[in-house]
Amino acid sequence: MGYKNREIEVKLLVKNCNSLKKIDDFCRNLFKPIHTITDERTDFYWPAPAVDFVRVRQMEKSKKGKGQMTVKKCDKGDNLDRLEIDLDVLDVDQAIKLKTAEYGKPPKKLKKRYTVLFLDQYDTNVSVYQVVNDKRVFIEVESRSLKKVNKIVDLLKKSLPFPLEIIKKSLYDIFILRKGRKNGKR
């Protein structure tokens, strides 16, 4: 959910808790969001020249439904402030066929269960998710402003009864490329 083709976000790994529901409930109570979306979705990934990856995200139950095509690039070193260009697609299946033909190979898939908590009417949100068949729970904090992101991350660190680790890698890196996590500070 980039703004002006940029994404400002911090990804956190919740340590010592594998319950998506527990973290979801905690964040709902802490933030009192103005709107929420809870669902399960599949993302389709390809490595691509000049960017880190291309993703087609299925937004509806059917692959014939709406989705989003995205390119991301860590042009400033990590995923804190990176290039993100999104394009809405009307037919996810057709977008997958297009990218498969373009890159000459089928996509890698990643399915996750998630809740997005919208904290304002713009782009400030907190996402809580878990990749299917993986025990780890992640929280992502995203906004148009690094100051807002840092404020929310600090609140989470003070309030959540579990330690949080900042993850500077994308889900693509972690689950598709199987790169190890790097600890890091903001």
Side-chain angles (χ1 to χ4, degrees):
M1 193 180 316
Y3 174 69
K4 294 188 176 181
N5 295 326
R6 302 293 309 167
E7 174 183 60
I8 298 173
E9 81 171 18
V10 170
K11 183 188 313 295
L12 302 158
L13 172 64
V14 180
K15 300 186 97 172
N16 306 325
C17 180
N18 295 330
S19 171
L20 179 63
K21 180 175 180 0
K22 187 180 283 188
I23 303 303
D24 184 351
D25 290 345
F26 182 89
C27 287
R28 286 174 191 254
N29 289 327
L30 179 63
F31 294 112
K32 309 281 190 255
I34 62 171
H35 176 65
T36 62
I37 298 173
T38 299
D39 205 351
E40 187 174 284
R41 71 170 45 140
T42 302
D43 292 338
F44 303 85
Y45 292 91
W46 295 263
V51 297
D52 296 334
F53 60 86
V54 171
R55 177 185 71 204
V56 173
R57 174 165 282 166
Q58 184 174 328
M59 305 293 267
E60 298 178 355
K61 298 289 181 206
S62 168
K63 279 180 34 182
K64 288 291 184 188
K66 293 178 184 176
Q68 189 175 64
M69 191 176 332
T70 302
V71 295
K72 292 193 184 192
K73 181 176 183 174
C74 293
D75 56 341
K76 293 184 178 183
D78 61 30
N79 61 352
L80 176 63
D81 179 1
R82 64 182 168 180
L83 174 79
E84 177 181 297
I85 301 173
D86 299 313
L87 178 66
D88 292 333
V89 296
L90 297 176
D91 183 332
V92 168
D93 194 48
Q94 194 67 4
I96 292 168
K97 288 175 184 172
L98 174 84
K99 289 292 152 190
T100 299
E102 182 178 357
Y103 296 122
K105 56 186 159 194
K108 301 290 185 181
K109 297 178 195 175
L110 190 67
K111 188 181 235 181
K112 64 183 179 180
R113 292 183 293 279
Y114 67 93
T115 296
V116 181
L117 310 170
F118 295 92
L119 307 187
D120 63 26
Q121 294 183 18
Y122 301 102
D123 290 329
T124 304
N125 63 70
V126 173
S127 299
V128 181
Y129 60 88
Q130 193 168 40
V131 173
V132 172
N133 297 322
D134 190 84
K135 293 181 179 182
R136 293 172 284 184
V137 176
F138 295 91
I139 299 173
E140 282 183 4
V141 178
E142 183 175 355
S143 184
R144 294 181 184 184
S145 146
L146 181 56
K147 185 177 178 178
K148 275 188 186 178
V149 167
N150 286 335
K151 184 178 177 183
I152 294 167
V153 168
D154 289 343
L155 178 61
L156 279 163
K157 285 182 171 183
K158 289 176 192 168
S159 305
L160 195 68
F162 303 101
L164 297 169
E165 177 187 347
I166 293 176
I167 304 296
K168 293 191 171 193
K169 299 212 175 281
S170 66
L171 292 182
Y172 176 77
D173 291 332
I174 296 166
F175 291 97
I176 304 298
L177 297 181
R178 304 270 186 214
K179 290 183 179 179
R181 298 187 319 262
K182 274 190 182 175
N183 296 337
K185 298 197 186 301
R186 289 180 283 144

